[in-house]
Coordinates of all heavy atoms in Angstrom, one line a residue:
M669 N 8.5 1.5 -25.1 CA 8.5 2.2 -24.0 C 9.4 3.5 -24.2 O 10.6 3.4 -24.5 CB 9.2 1.5 -22.9 CG 9.1 2.2 -21.5 SD 9.9 1.2 -20.1 CE 8.8 -0.2 -20.0
N670 N 8.8 4.6 -24.1 CA 9.5 5.9 -24.3 C 10.2 6.3 -23.0 O 10.0 5.7 -21.9 CB 8.6 7.0 -24.8 CG 7.4 7.3 -23.8 OD1 7.6 7.0 -22.6 ND2 6.3 7.8 -24.3
P671 N 11.1 7.3 -23.2 CA 11.9 7.7 -22.0 C 11.2 8.3 -20.8 O 11.5 8.0 -19.6 CB 12.9 8.8 -22.5 CG 12.9 8.5 -24.0 CD 11.6 7.9 -24.3
K672 N 10.0 8.9 -21.1 CA 9.2 9.4 -20.1 C 8.5 8.3 -19.2 O 8.6 8.3 -18.0 CB 8.1 10.3 -20.6 CG 7.2 11.0 -19.6 CD 6.1 11.8 -20.3 CE 5.1 12.4 -19.3 NZ 4.2 11.5 -18.6
T673 N 8.1 7.2 -19.9 CA 7.5 6.2 -19.2 C 8.6 5.4 -18.4 O 8.3 5.0 -17.3 CB 6.8 5.2 -20.2 OG1 5.9 5.9 -21.0 CG2 6.1 4.1 -19.5
S674 N 9.7 5.3 -19.0 CA 10.8 4.6 -18.3 C 11.2 5.3 -17.0 O 11.4 4.8 -15.9 CB 12.0 4.5 -19.2 OG 13.1 3.9 -18.5
G675 N 11.3 6.7 -17.0 CA 11.6 7.5 -15.8 C 10.5 7.4 -14.8 O 10.8 7.3 -13.6
S676 N 9.3 7.3 -15.3 CA 8.1 7.3 -14.4 C 8.1 5.9 -13.6 O 7.8 5.8 -12.5 CB 6.8 7.5 -15.1 OG 5.7 7.3 -14.3
L677 N 8.4 4.8 -14.4 CA 8.5 3.5 -13.8 C 9.6 3.4 -12.8 O 9.4 2.8 -11.7 CB 8.5 2.5 -14.8 CG 7.3 2.1 -15.6 CD1 7.6 1.1 -16.8 CD2 6.1 1.7 -14.8
F678 N 10.7 4.0 -13.2 CA 11.9 4.0 -12.2 C 11.5 4.7 -10.9 O 11.8 4.2 -9.8 CB 13.1 4.7 -12.9 CG 14.3 4.6 -12.0 CD1 15.0 3.4 -11.8 CD2 14.7 5.7 -11.4 CE1 16.1 3.3 -11.1 CE2 15.9 5.7 -10.7 CZ 16.6 4.5 -10.4
A679 N 10.8 5.9 -11.1 CA 10.5 6.6 -9.9 C 9.4 5.8 -9.0 O 9.5 5.7 -7.8 CB 9.9 7.9 -10.3
S680 N 8.5 5.2 -9.7 CA 7.5 4.4 -9.0 C 8.1 3.2 -8.3 O 7.8 2.9 -7.1 CB 6.5 3.9 -9.9 OG 5.6 5.0 -10.4
T681 N 9.1 2.6 -8.9 CA 9.8 1.5 -8.4 C 10.5 1.9 -7.1 O 10.5 1.2 -6.1 CB 10.8 0.8 -9.4 OG1 10.1 0.4 -10.5 CG2 11.5 -0.4 -8.7
N682 N 11.2 3.1 -7.2 CA 11.9 3.5 -6.0 C 10.9 3.8 -4.8 O 11.2 3.5 -3.6 CB 12.6 4.9 -6.2 CG 13.9 4.7 -7.1 OD1 14.4 3.5 -7.1 ND2 14.3 5.6 -7.8
W683 N 9.7 4.4 -5.1 CA 8.7 4.6 -4.0 C 8.2 3.3 -3.5 O 8.0 3.2 -2.3 CB 7.5 5.4 -4.6 CG 7.8 6.9 -4.6 CD1 8.1 7.7 -5.7 CD2 7.9 7.8 -3.4 NE1 8.3 9.0 -5.3 CE2 8.2 9.0 -3.9 CE3 7.6 7.5 -2.1 CZ2 8.3 10.1 -3.0 CZ3 7.8 8.6 -1.3 CH2 8.1 9.9 -1.7
I684 N 7.9 2.3 -4.3 CA 7.4 1.0 -3.8 C 8.5 0.3 -2.9 O 8.2 -0.2 -1.9 CB 7.1 0.1 -5.1 CG1 5.8 0.7 -5.7 CG2 6.9 -1.3 -4.6 CD1 5.5 0.0 -7.0
L685 N 9.8 0.3 -3.3 CA 10.8 -0.2 -2.5 C 10.9 0.6 -1.2 O 11.1 0.0 -0.1 CB 12.1 -0.2 -3.3 CG 12.2 -1.2 -4.4 CD1 13.5 -1.0 -5.2 CD2 12.2 -2.6 -3.9
M686 N 10.9 1.9 -1.2 CA 11.0 2.6 0.0 C 9.9 2.4 0.9 O 10.0 2.3 2.1 CB 11.1 4.2 -0.3 CG 11.5 5.0 0.8 SD 11.9 6.7 0.3 CE 10.6 7.2 -0.8
M687 N 8.6 2.3 0.4 CA 7.4 1.9 1.3 C 7.6 0.6 1.9 O 7.2 0.4 3.1 CB 6.1 2.0 0.4 CG 5.7 3.4 0.2 SD 4.1 3.4 -0.5 CE 4.5 3.9 -2.2
G688 N 8.1 -0.4 1.1 CA 8.3 -1.8 1.8 C 9.4 -1.7 2.9 O 9.3 -2.3 3.9
V689 N 10.5 -0.9 2.6 CA 11.5 -0.8 3.7 C 10.9 -0.1 4.9 O 11.1 -0.6 6.1 CB 12.7 -0.1 3.1 CG1 13.7 0.3 4.2 CG2 13.5 -0.9 2.1
V690 N 10.1 1.0 4.7 CA 9.5 1.7 5.9 C 8.6 0.7 6.6 O 8.6 0.7 7.9 CB 8.9 3.0 5.4 CG1 8.0 3.5 6.5 CG2 10.0 3.9 5.0
S691 N 7.8 -0.1 5.9 CA 6.8 -1.0 6.5 C 7.7 -2.0 7.4 O 7.2 -2.4 8.5 CB 6.0 -1.7 5.5 OG 5.2 -0.7 4.9
G692 N 8.7 -2.5 6.8 CA 9.6 -3.5 7.5 C 10.2 -2.9 8.8 O 10.2 -3.6 9.9
I693 N 10.6 -1.7 8.6 CA 11.3 -1.1 9.9 C 10.2 -0.8 10.9 O 10.5 -1.0 12.1 CB 12.0 0.2 9.4 CG1 13.3 -0.1 8.6 CG2 12.4 1.1 10.6 CD1 13.9 1.1 8.0
V694 N 9.1 -0.4 10.5 CA 8.0 -0.1 11.5 C 7.6 -1.3 12.2 O 7.5 -1.4 13.5 CB 6.8 0.6 10.9 CG1 5.6 0.6 11.8 CG2 7.2 2.0 10.5
S695 N 7.4 -2.4 11.5 CA 6.9 -3.7 12.1 C 8.0 -4.3 12.8 O 7.8 -5.1 13.8 CB 6.5 -4.6 11.0 OG 7.4 -5.0 10.1
A696 N 9.4 -4.1 12.5 CA 10.5 -4.7 13.2 C 10.7 -4.0 14.6 O 11.5 -4.6 15.5 CB 11.7 -4.5 12.4
Q697 N 10.1 -2.9 14.9 CA 10.3 -2.2 16.1 C 9.6 -3.0 17.3 O 10.1 -2.9 18.4 CB 9.7 -0.7 16.1 CG 10.4 0.1 15.1 CD 11.8 0.3 15.4 OE1 12.2 0.5 16.5 NE2 12.7 0.1 14.4
W698 N 8.6 -3.8 16.9 CA 7.9 -4.6 18.0 C 8.3 -6.0 17.8 O 7.5 -6.7 16.9 CB 6.4 -4.3 18.0 CG 6.2 -2.9 18.4 CD1 6.0 -2.4 19.6 CD2 6.1 -1.7 17.6 NE1 5.8 -1.1 19.7 CE2 5.9 -0.6 18.4 CE3 6.2 -1.5 16.3 CZ2 5.7 0.7 17.9 CZ3 6.1 -0.2 15.7 CH2 5.9 0.9 16.6
K699 N 9.3 -6.7 18.3 CA 9.8 -7.9 17.9 C 8.8 -9.0 18.4 O 8.3 -9.7 17.6 CB 11.1 -8.2 18.7 CG 12.2 -7.2 18.1 CD 13.5 -7.6 18.6 CE 14.6 -6.6 18.2 NZ 14.7 -6.3 16.9
H700 N 8.5 -9.2 19.7 CA 7.6 -10.3 20.1 C 6.4 -9.7 20.8 O 5.7 -10.4 21.5 CB 8.3 -11.2 21.0 CG 9.4 -11.9 20.3 ND1 9.2 -12.8 19.3 CD2 10.8 -11.8 20.5 CE1 10.5 -13.3 18.9 NE2 11.4 -12.6 19.6
E701 N 6.1 -8.4 20.5 CA 4.9 -7.8 21.2 C 3.8 -7.5 20.1 O 4.1 -7.7 19.0 CB 5.3 -6.4 21.8 CG 6.4 -6.6 22.8 CD 7.0 -5.2 23.2 OE1 6.2 -4.1 22.9 OE2 8.0 -5.1 23.8
A702 N 2.7 -7.3 20.6 CA 1.6 -6.9 19.6 C 1.9 -5.6 18.9 O 2.4 -4.7 19.6 CB 0.3 -6.9 20.4
L703 N 1.6 -5.5 17.7 CA 1.9 -4.3 16.9 C 0.8 -3.2 17.3 O -0.4 -3.6 17.3 CB 1.8 -4.5 15.4 CG 2.3 -3.5 14.5 CD1 3.8 -3.4 14.7 CD2 2.1 -4.0 13.1
P704 N 1.2 -2.1 17.8 CA 0.2 -1.1 18.1 C -0.7 -0.7 16.9 O -0.3 -0.8 15.7 CB 0.9 0.2 18.6 CG 2.3 -0.4 18.8 CD 2.5 -1.6 18.0
I705 N -1.9 -0.3 17.2 CA -2.9 -0.1 16.1 C -2.5 1.1 15.3 O -2.7 1.1 14.1 CB -4.3 0.2 16.7 CG1 -5.3 0.1 15.5 CG2 -4.5 1.5 17.4 CD1 -6.8 -0.1 16.0
V706 N -1.7 2.1 15.8 CA -1.2 3.2 15.0 C -0.2 2.7 14.0 O -0.2 3.1 12.8 CB -0.6 4.3 15.9 CG1 -0.1 5.4 15.2 CG2 -1.7 4.8 16.9
A707 N 0.7 1.9 14.4 CA 1.7 1.3 13.5 C 1.1 0.4 12.5 O 1.4 0.5 11.3 CB 2.7 0.5 14.3
L708 N 0.1 -0.3 12.8 CA -0.6 -1.2 11.9 C -1.3 -0.3 10.8 O -1.3 -0.6 9.7 CB -1.5 -2.1 12.6 CG -2.3 -3.0 11.7 CD1 -1.4 -4.0 11.0 CD2 -3.4 -3.8 12.4
A709 N -2.0 0.7 11.3 CA -2.6 1.6 10.4 C -1.6 2.3 9.4 O -2.0 2.5 8.2 CB -3.4 2.7 11.1
A710 N -0.5 2.7 9.9 CA 0.5 3.3 9.0 C 1.0 2.2 8.0 O 1.1 2.6 6.8 CB 1.7 3.7 9.8
I711 N 1.2 1.0 8.4 CA 1.6 0.0 7.4 C 0.4 -0.3 6.4 O 0.7 -0.5 5.2 CB 2.0 -1.3 8.2 CG1 3.3 -1.1 9.0 CG2 2.1 -2.5 7.2 CD1 3.6 -2.2 9.9
L712 N -0.9 -0.3 6.9 CA -1.9 -0.6 5.9 C -2.0 0.6 5.0 O -2.4 0.4 3.8 CB -3.1 -0.8 6.7 CG -3.2 -2.1 7.5 CD1 -4.5 -2.2 8.4 CD2 -3.1 -3.3 6.6
L713 N -1.8 1.8 5.5 CA -1.9 3.0 4.6 C -0.9 2.9 3.5 O -1.1 3.2 2.3 CB -1.8 4.3 5.4 CG -2.0 5.6 4.6 CD1 -3.4 5.7 4.2 CD2 -1.5 6.7 5.5
L714 N 0.4 2.5 3.9 CA 1.5 2.3 2.9 C 1.2 1.3 2.0 O 1.4 1.3 0.8 CB 2.7 2.0 3.7 CG 3.5 3.2 4.3 CD1 4.7 2.7 5.1 CD2 3.9 4.3 3.3
T715 N 0.4 0.2 2.4 CA 0.0 -0.8 1.5 C -0.9 -0.4 0.4 O -0.9 -0.7 -0.7 CB -0.6 -2.0 2.3 OG1 0.3 -2.4 3.3 CG2 -1.1 -3.1 1.4
V716 N -1.9 0.5 0.8 CA -2.8 1.0 -0.1 C -2.1 1.9 -1.2 O -2.4 1.8 -2.4 CB -3.9 1.8 0.5 CG1 -4.8 2.5 -0.4 CG2 -4.9 0.8 1.4
F717 N -1.2 2.8 -0.7 CA -0.5 3.6 -1.6 C 0.4 2.8 -2.5 O 0.5 3.1 -3.7 CB 0.5 4.6 -0.9 CG -0.3 5.8 -0.2 CD1 0.0 6.1 1.0 CD2 -1.3 6.4 -1.0 CE1 -0.7 7.3 1.6 CE2 -2.1 7.4 -0.4 CZ -1.7 7.9 0.9
K718 N 1.0 1.7 -2.1 CA 1.8 0.8 -2.9 C 0.9 0.1 -3.9 O 1.3 0.0 -5.1 CB 2.4 -0.2 -2.0 CG 3.4 -1.1 -2.7 CD 4.1 -1.9 -1.7 CE 4.1 -3.4 -2.2 NZ 4.7 -4.3 -1.3
A719 N -0.3 -0.3 -3.5 CA -1.2 -1.0 -4.5 C -1.6 0.1 -5.5 O -1.7 -0.3 -6.7 CB -2.4 -1.4 -3.7
R720 N -1.8 1.3 -5.2 CA -2.2 2.4 -6.1 C -1.1 2.6 -7.2 O -1.4 2.6 -8.4 CB -2.5 3.6 -5.4 CG -2.9 4.8 -6.3 CD -3.2 6.1 -5.5 NE -3.6 7.1 -6.5 CZ -2.7 7.9 -7.0 NH1 -1.4 7.7 -7.0 NH2 -3.1 8.8 -7.9
L721 N 0.2 2.6 -6.7 CA 1.3 2.8 -7.6 C 1.4 1.6 -8.6 O 1.6 1.8 -9.8 CB 2.6 2.9 -6.9 CG 2.9 4.3 -6.3 CD1 4.1 4.3 -5.5 CD2 3.0 5.4 -7.4
I722 N 1.2 0.4 -8.1 CA 1.4 -0.7 -8.9 C 0.2 -0.8 -10.0 O 0.4 -1.1 -11.1 CB 1.4 -2.0 -8.1 CG1 2.7 -2.1 -7.3 CG2 1.1 -3.3 -8.9 CD1 2.8 -3.2 -6.3
I723 N -1.0 -0.5 -9.4 CA -2.2 -0.6 -10.4 C -2.1 0.5 -11.4 O -2.3 0.2 -12.6 CB -3.5 -0.4 -9.5 CG1 -3.8 -1.7 -8.8 CG2 -4.7 -0.1 -10.5 CD1 -4.8 -1.5 -7.7
L724 N -1.7 1.7 -11.1 CA -1.7 2.7 -12.1 C -0.5 2.7 -13.0 O -0.6 3.0 -14.2 CB -1.8 4.2 -11.4 CG -3.1 4.4 -10.7 CD1 -3.0 5.8 -10.0 CD2 -4.3 4.3 -11.6
D725 N 0.7 2.5 -12.5 CA 1.9 2.5 -13.2 C 2.3 1.2 -13.9 O 2.7 1.2 -15.0 CB 3.1 3.1 -12.3 CG 2.8 4.5 -12.0 OD1 2.0 5.3 -12.7 OD2 3.4 5.0 -11.0
F726 N 2.4 0.1 -13.1 CA 2.8 -1.1 -13.7 C 1.8 -1.8 -14.4 O 2.1 -2.6 -15.3 CB 3.5 -2.0 -12.5 CG 4.7 -1.3 -12.0 CD1 4.6 -0.6 -10.9 CD2 5.9 -1.5 -12.7 CE1 5.7 0.0 -10.4 CE2 7.0 -0.9 -12.1 CZ 7.0 -0.2 -11.0
M727 N 0.5 -1.7 -14.0 CA -0.5 -2.3 -14.8 C -1.1 -1.5 -15.9 O -1.9 -1.8 -16.6 CB -1.7 -2.8 -13.9 CG -1.1 -3.8 -12.9 SD -2.4 -4.3 -11.7 CE -3.5 -5.3 -12.7
H728 N -0.6 -0.2 -16.0 CA -1.0 0.8 -17.0 C -2.5 1.0 -17.1 O -3.1 0.9 -18.1 CB -0.5 0.4 -18.4 CG 1.0 0.2 -18.5 ND1 1.9 1.3 -18.4 CD2 1.7 -1.0 -18.6 CE1 3.2 0.8 -18.5 NE2 3.0 -0.6 -18.5
L729 N -3.1 1.2 -16.0 CA -4.5 1.5 -15.9 C -5.0 2.9 -15.7 O -6.0 3.2 -15.2 CB -5.2 0.5 -14.8 CG -5.1 -1.0 -15.2 CD1 -5.7 -1.7 -14.0 CD2 -5.9 -1.3 -16.4
R730 N -4.0 3.8 -16.0 CA -4.4 5.2 -15.8 C -5.6 5.6 -16.9 O -6.4 6.5 -16.6 CB -3.2 6.1 -16.1 CG -2.3 6.1 -14.9 CD -1.2 7.2 -15.0 NE -0.2 7.1 -14.0 CZ -0.4 7.6 -12.7 NH1 -1.5 8.2 -12.4 NH2 0.6 7.4 -11.8
E731 N -5.5 4.9 -18.0 CA -6.5 5.2 -19.0 C -7.9 4.6 -18.7 O -8.9 4.8 -19.4 CB -6.0 4.8 -20.4 CG -4.8 5.5 -20.8 CD -3.6 4.9 -20.2 OE1 -3.5 3.8 -19.9 OE2 -2.5 5.7 -20.1
R732 N -7.9 3.6 -17.7 CA -9.2 2.9 -17.4 C -9.4 3.1 -15.9 O -9.2 2.3 -15.1 CB -9.0 1.4 -17.7 CG -8.6 1.2 -19.2 CD -8.5 -0.2 -19.7 NE -9.8 -0.8 -19.5 CZ -10.0 -2.2 -19.7 NH1 -9.0 -2.9 -20.0 NH2 -11.1 -2.7 -19.6
P733 N -10.0 4.4 -15.6 CA -10.1 4.6 -14.3 C -11.1 3.7 -13.4 O -11.0 3.5 -12.3 CB -10.6 6.1 -14.2 CG -11.1 6.3 -15.6 CD -10.3 5.3 -16.5
A734 N -12.1 3.2 -14.2 CA -13.2 2.4 -13.5 C -12.5 1.1 -13.0 O -12.8 0.6 -11.9 CB -14.3 2.1 -14.4
L735 N -11.7 0.5 -13.9 CA -11.1 -0.8 -13.5 C -10.0 -0.5 -12.4 O -9.9 -1.3 -11.5 CB -10.4 -1.4 -14.7 CG -9.8 -2.8 -14.5 CD1 -10.7 -3.8 -14.0 CD2 -9.1 -3.3 -15.8
A736 N -9.3 0.6 -12.5 CA -8.3 1.0 -11.5 C -9.0 1.2 -10.2 O -8.5 0.7 -9.1 CB -7.5 2.1 -11.9
A737 N -10.1 1.8 -10.2 CA -10.8 2.0 -8.8 C -11.4 0.7 -8.3 O -11.3 0.5 -7.1 CB -12.0 3.0 -9.1
A738 N -11.7 -0.2 -9.1 CA -12.2 -1.5 -8.6 C -11.1 -2.3 -8.1 O -11.2 -2.9 -7.0 CB -12.9 -2.3 -9.8
L739 N -10.0 -2.3 -8.7 CA -8.7 -3.1 -8.3 C -8.2 -2.4 -7.0 O -7.8 -3.1 -6.1 CB -7.6 -3.1 -9.3 CG -7.9 -4.0 -10.4 CD1 -6.8 -3.9 -11.5 CD2 -8.0 -5.4 -9.9
L740 N -8.3 -1.1 -6.9 CA -7.9 -0.4 -5.6 C -8.7 -0.6 -4.5 O -8.4 -0.6 -3.3 CB -7.6 1.1 -5.9 CG -6.9 1.8 -4.8 CD1 -5.5 1.2 -4.5 CD2 -6.7 3.3 -5.2
G741 N -10.0 -0.8 -4.7 CA -11.1 -1.1 -3.7 C -10.8 -2.3 -2.9 O -11.2 -2.5 -1.8
W742 N -10.2 -3.4 -3.7 CA -9.9 -4.7 -3.0 C -9.0 -4.5 -1.8 O -9.3 -4.9 -0.7 CB -9.4 -5.6 -4.1 CG -9.4 -7.1 -3.6 CD1 -8.2 -7.8 -3.4 CD2 -10.4 -7.9 -3.5 NE1 -8.5 -9.0 -3.1 CE2 -9.9 -9.1 -3.1 CE3 -11.8 -7.7 -3.4 CZ2 -10.8 -10.1 -2.7 CZ3 -12.6 -8.7 -3.1 CH2 -12.1 -10.0 -2.7
P743 N -7.8 -3.9 -1.9 CA -6.9 -3.7 -0.8 C -7.5 -2.9 0.3 O -7.4 -3.0 1.5 CB -5.6 -3.2 -1.3 CG -5.8 -2.8 -2.7 CD -7.0 -3.5 -3.2
I744 N -8.3 -1.9 -0.2 CA -8.9 -0.9 0.8 C -10.0 -1.6 1.6 O -10.0 -1.5 2.9 CB -9.5 0.3 0.1 CG1 -8.4 1.2 -0.4 CG2 -10.5 1.1 1.0 CD1 -9.0 2.2 -1.3
L745 N -10.7 -2.6 1.0 CA -11.7 -3.4 1.8 C -11.0 -4.2 2.8 O -11.5 -4.3 4.0 CB -12.4 -4.2 0.7 CG -13.4 -5.3 1.4 CD1 -14.6 -4.6 1.9 CD2 -13.7 -6.4 0.3
F746 N -9.8 -4.9 2.4 CA -9.2 -5.6 3.4 C -8.5 -4.9 4.6 O -8.4 -5.3 5.7 CB -8.2 -6.6 2.7 CG -8.9 -7.8 2.1 CD1 -9.1 -7.9 0.8 CD2 -9.4 -8.8 2.9 CE1 -9.7 -8.9 0.2 CE2 -10.1 -9.9 2.4 CZ -10.3 -9.9 1.0
C747 N -8.1 -3.7 4.2 CA -7.4 -2.9 5.2 C -8.5 -2.4 6.2 O -8.3 -2.4 7.5 CB -6.8 -1.6 4.6 SG -5.3 -1.9 3.7
I748 N -9.7 -2.0 5.8 CA -10.8 -1.7 6.6 C -11.2 -2.9 7.5 O -11.5 -2.7 8.7 CB -12.0 -1.1 5.9 CG1 -11.6 0.2 5.2 CG2 -13.2 -0.9 6.6 CD1 -12.6 0.8 4.2
A749 N -11.3 -4.0 6.9 CA -11.6 -5.2 7.7 C -10.6 -5.5 8.8 O -11.0 -5.9 9.9 CB -11.7 -6.4 6.7
V750 N -9.3 -5.4 8.5 CA -8.3 -5.7 9.5 C -8.4 -4.6 10.7 O -8.4 -5.0 11.8 CB -6.9 -5.6 8.9 CG1 -5.9 -5.5 9.9 CG2 -6.7 -6.8 7.9
L751 N -8.6 -3.3 10.3 CA -8.7 -2.3 11.3 C -10.0 -2.5 12.1 O -10.0 -2.3 13.3 CB -8.7 -1.0 10.7 CG -7.3 -0.6 10.1 CD1 -7.4 0.8 9.5 CD2 -6.3 -0.4 11.3
A752 N -11.1 -2.9 11.4 CA -12.3 -3.2 12.3 C -12.2 -4.4 13.2 O -12.7 -4.3 14.3 CB -13.5 -3.4 11.2
K753 N -11.5 -5.4 12.7 CA -11.3 -6.6 13.5 C -10.5 -6.2 14.8 O -10.8 -6.8 15.9 CB -10.7 -7.7 12.7 CG -10.4 -8.9 13.5 CD -9.9 -9.9 12.6 CE -9.5 -11.3 13.2 NZ -10.1 -12.0 14.2
I754 N -9.6 -5.3 14.7 CA -8.8 -4.9 15.8 C -9.5 -4.0 16.7 O -9.4 -3.9 17.9 CB -7.4 -4.5 15.3 CG1 -6.7 -5.6 14.7 CG2 -6.6 -3.7 16.5 CD1 -5.4 -5.2 14.0
A755 N -10.1 -3.0 16.0 CA -10.8 -1.9 16.8 C -12.0 -2.3 17.6 O -12.2 -1.8 18.7 CB -11.1 -0.7 15.8
V756 N -12.8 -3.2 17.0 CA -14.1 -3.5 17.7 C -13.8 -4.2 19.1 O -14.5 -3.7 20.1 CB -14.9 -4.5 16.8 CG1 -16.0 -5.1 17.6 CG2 -15.4 -3.7 15.6
P757 N -12.9 -5.1 19.2 CA -12.7 -5.7 20.6 C -12.1 -4.7 21.6 O -12.3 -4.7 22.7 CB -11.7 -6.8 20.4 CG -11.9 -7.2 19.0 CD -12.3 -6.0 18.3
A758 N -11.3 -3.7 21.0 CA -10.7 -2.7 21.9 C -11.7 -1.7 22.4 O -11.5 -1.2 23.4 CB -9.6 -2.0 21.1
L759 N -12.8 -1.5 21.6 CA -13.9 -0.6 22.1 C -14.8 -1.2 23.0 O -15.5 -0.5 23.7 CB -14.6 0.0 20.8 CG -13.7 0.9 19.8 CD1 -14.6 1.2 18.6 CD2 -13.3 2.2 20.5
L760 N -15.0 -2.5 22.9 CA -16.0 -3.2 23.8 C -15.4 -3.5 25.1 O -14.5 -3.7 25.6 CB -16.5 -4.4 23.1 CG -17.3 -4.1 21.8 CD1 -17.7 -5.4 21.1 CD2 -18.5 -3.2 22.0

């Protein structure tokens, strides 16, 4: 592991931890109430960004973009499914 890679992994780790803390703070604002859809969307967006950092930096898939896109599609699919499950009853 060269120093450039080490610094990049350290920066990615900091971002991942910060996203986890922000998601925890956002979800802790509503203790026993339902989480508003805007807050849930923000948490899901942070989840996708966190997955992207993990896939590209920690799994070293920057050189294999097809596999990285397939792995990133998985959390995106579930985020869309969660938002659709919440949005459909709200619209009807």
Side-chain angles (χ1 to χ4, degrees):
M669 182 180 296
N670 60 21
K672 181 182 180 286
T673 306
S674 176
S676 174
L677 286 178
F678 182 73
S680 293
T681 303
N682 287 338
W683 276 105
I684 290 170
L685 289 173
M686 193 167 43
M687 283 187 253
V689 168
V690 168
S691 296
I693 290 172
V694 168
S695 64
Q697 296 299 316
W698 292 273
K699 297 193 188 299
H700 297 293
E701 302 171 15
L703 195 64
I705 194 164
V706 175
L708 181 66
I711 291 171
L712 291 176
L713 185 67
L714 286 173
T715 302
V716 171
F717 284 137
K718 185 173 131 182
R720 182 181 177 275
L721 282 174
I722 290 171
I723 290 167
L724 293 179
D725 291 338
F726 292 96
M727 296 176 73
H728 302 290
L729 292 177
R730 287 193 185 272
E731 296 82 26
R732 300 181 69 185
L735 183 58
L739 285 174
L740 190 56
W742 192 248
I744 290 173
L745 173 75
F746 282 105
C747 289
I748 291 170
V750 167
L751 289 175
K753 181 173 171 44
I754 292 171
V756 167
L759 295 174
L760 297 178

